[in-house]
Amino acid sequence: MPLDLSIIIPTFNESGNIKALIELLHNTIDKSITWEIIFVDDNSPDKTYQQVQKLSKDWNNVRVLRRVGRRGLSSAVIEGILSSSADYFLVMDGDLQHDEGIIPRMFASIKQDNLDLVIGSRFVGGGSTGELALNRVKVSRFATILSHRILKTKLTDPMSGFFMLSRAFFEQNVERLSAIGFKILLDLVASAKTPPKLIELPYQMRKRTEGESKLEPIVVWEYLLLLLDKSIGRFIPLRFMMFILVGLSGVLVHLVVLKGLLNFTDYSFLIAQSMATLVAMTNNYIFNNLFTYSDKRLTGFKFFKGLLSFYLACSIGFVINITLAEFLFKLDVAWYLSGLIGAVIGSIWNYGMTKYITWR
Ligand code: GDD
Ligand code: MN
């Protein structure tokens, strides 16, 4: 039987919620349609994926896509959709905050009116943010205002994580998605070639009772990246922009350390330049790991392995750097120019190498 609807639920540490959610969905969705639930779990420490596997023995329309070594709500949703053969998809959170009660109406209207999208909105008549903390509502409103810059279509709740879409609409646009961060709906609408045909249905957001929100500061950062990617990202690749920014911070660190060592110690220029390079390299590794590669961030043991490979990969750049700087300095080029040129040429090497070795 052809599949009508796939419900895509990204999860990270939601083991306390999924059983109730599966039951609610089965009580709500009409028996006359064929449908499935796909949990996309990023290898949750609380083993949400195991829980789903267990539950799927009782419900044969439930499965889990477990991703290892990855994080990201948007990319999880995209990969969940890609793994499905349904005509329509519903994206919803796994924490019971979204009101499954409106799903039948969403499905009826997307089909009848041949729509691209039906969006659950907290900000149309009858919708509400429930008991969401006031500062969260304010942040959400501010983010919405920012989003107008990249959206041709005005949405009341572009931050919504609760919406239905058609396969046709998804397939037309999947290759243009940025897939960065939390805001998959915004990404979809901003990436759409032609303005999507859509309606918004109100819903009242419920309070989270189990587990906790993953809306950490990094989510705000990734949101800004998404806005950047959807605006100037068409002209310059985002990672390259980030790399240049981090590189500039490294150059600054480099010069400060070099100057400090030359002024306050008896180290030779060669030693001072080498030490400044090491400090700058460590600085660059930390910031690139935090920001440039926030989606592939290395943590724990892998952080140190990554640091090691970063040092190793950069060793050629390091040799070029100090040889060049020393050479220039001996030619009576000023200390700062010698240091700068060495560092910049070294950085270009570092980018190419570490992109393929450290954050493969
Ligand atoms: N696979 C995966 N990977 N899932 C994730 C990740 C991740 O890195 N981060 C979060 N999730 C899952 C959570 O487990 C949850 O099911 C859902 O994504 C939403 O995460 P929450 O942490 O509950 O987000 P929120 O409640 O603060 O924000 C939600 O509601 C807002 C308002 O509608 C999100 O849907 C936002 O996108 C939305 O703006
Ligand atoms: Mn939530």
Side-chain angles (χ1 to χ4, degrees):
M1 241 199 310
L3 202 56
D4 297 310
L5 178 67
S6 272
I7 301 183
I8 312 293
I9 305 177
T11 56
F12 193 75
N13 287 345
E14 301 290 358
S15 62
N17 289 312
I18 53 172
K19 185 161 189 277
L21 181 56
I22 293 174
E23 283 168 354
L24 281 175
L25 288 170
H26 280 85
N27 291 337
T28 311
I29 295 174
D30 198 331
K31 302 278 179 297
S32 69
I33 71 168
T34 43
W35 62 287
E36 65 177 354
I37 308 177
I38 302 172
F39 288 92
V40 188
D41 186 69
D42 285 350
N43 208 22
S44 298
D46 80 350
K47 303 216 160 68
T48 305
Y49 53 89
Q50 253 179 26
Q51 178 116 14
V52 181
Q53 276 158 5
K54 252 188 246 147
L55 290 165
S56 66
K57 300 210 164 82
D58 301 324
W59 284 283
N60 61 13
N61 65 340
V62 173
R63 62 185 166 104
V64 62
L65 178 64
R66 173 182 173 190
R67 305 197 304 169
V68 177
R70 311 268 307 278
R71 273 303 296 274
L73 204 167
S74 289
S75 63
V77 167
I78 293 167
E79 285 165 34
I81 293 179
L82 286 170
S83 82
S84 153
S85 58
D87 295 334
Y88 297 96
F89 311 100
L90 175 79
V91 178
M92 81 188 290
D93 291 350
D95 58 1
L96 304 170
Q97 290 196 274
H98 291 158
D99 176 11
E100 69 290 334
I102 70 168
I103 296 174
R105 278 175 59 213
M106 291 171 114
F107 188 67
S109 36
I110 201 166
K111 260 186 103 157
Q112 269 158 28
D113 301 331
N114 202 9
L115 300 172
D116 296 318
L117 275 168
V118 176
I119 301 167
S121 168
R122 299 165 293 175
F123 305 115
V124 285
S128 91
T129 47
E131 291 167 57
L132 200 63
L134 187 64
N135 58 347
R136 273 287 312 265
V137 177
K138 282 188 183 151
V139 170
S140 186
R141 291 219 186 260
F142 182 61
T144 301
I145 293 170
L146 284 182
S147 77
H148 292 331
R149 313 212 115 261
I150 60 166
L151 284 182
K152 286 152 244 150
T153 322
K154 280 257 155 65
L155 302 176
T156 61
D157 195 0
M159 304 301 131
S160 177
F162 186 31
F163 58 94
M164 197 174 279
L165 67 159
S166 71
R167 164 175 293 280
F169 174 66
F170 178 75
E171 286 191 346
Q172 268 160 29
N173 298 297
V174 59
E175 280 161 10
R176 269 190 301 278
L177 296 174
S178 299
I180 301 169
F182 242 55
K183 304 302 173 189
I184 176 65
L185 174 66
L186 183 66
D187 193 0
L188 271 164
V189 177
S191 307
K193 215 191 286 178
T194 50
K197 262 174 68 182
L198 60 89
I199 59 161
E200 300 178 306
L201 293 181
Y203 82 95
Q204 294 179 357
M205 192 161 173
R206 291 190 294 237
K207 210 177 150 166
R208 182 190 262 279
T209 55
E210 296 287 324
E212 41 196 63
S213 169
K214 281 93 208 170
L215 207 121
E216 295 144 3
I218 186 73
V219 170
V220 178
W221 167 252
E222 286 174 341
Y223 180 63
L224 295 177
L225 284 189
L226 176 63
L227 293 179
L228 261 181
D229 192 43
K230 279 284 158 284
S231 43
I232 45 178
R234 266 168 297 167
F235 310 109
I236 316 166
L238 201 60
R239 270 202 224 277
F240 189 65
M241 281 193 271
M242 307 271 308
F243 170 77
I244 295 292
L245 276 179
V246 171
L248 285 177
S249 86
V251 169
L252 207 74
V253 167
H254 183 105
L255 292 178
V256 169
V257 173
L258 181 59
K259 172 102 177 121
L261 290 174
L262 289 178
N263 279 9
F264 301 111
T265 70
D266 300 328
Y267 293 138
S268 68
F269 180 79
L270 181 64
I271 301 276
Q273 169 73 355
S274 309
M275 289 172 78
T277 304
L278 256 174
V279 175
M281 248 160 69
T282 311
N283 169 87
N284 288 6
Y285 174 72
I286 291 171
F287 283 103
N288 278 319
N289 193 47
L290 274 178
F291 298 114
T292 315
Y293 295 99
S294 69
D295 57 333
K296 300 183 185 174
R297 185 178 302 159
L298 304 168
T299 55
F301 177 64
K302 283 193 178 145
F303 176 88
F304 293 101
K305 232 179 98 184
L307 181 61
L308 219 67
S309 81
F310 190 83
Y311 284 154
L312 272 175
C314 296
S315 55
I316 300 172
F318 178 75
V319 172
I320 293 175
N321 173 346
I322 54 171
T323 315
L324 185 62
E326 167 89 341
F327 175 74
L328 292 172
F329 187 67
K330 285 206 169 132
L331 285 179
D332 273 343
V333 176
W335 67 269
Y336 54 90
L337 256 188
S338 308
L340 191 70
I341 294 173
V344 167
I345 302 289
S347 300
I348 293 171
W349 263 93
N350 296 349
Y351 178 64
M353 302 280 275
T354 58
K355 188 174 170 199
Y356 293 104
I357 297 173
T358 311
W359 290 281
R360 210 174 358 170

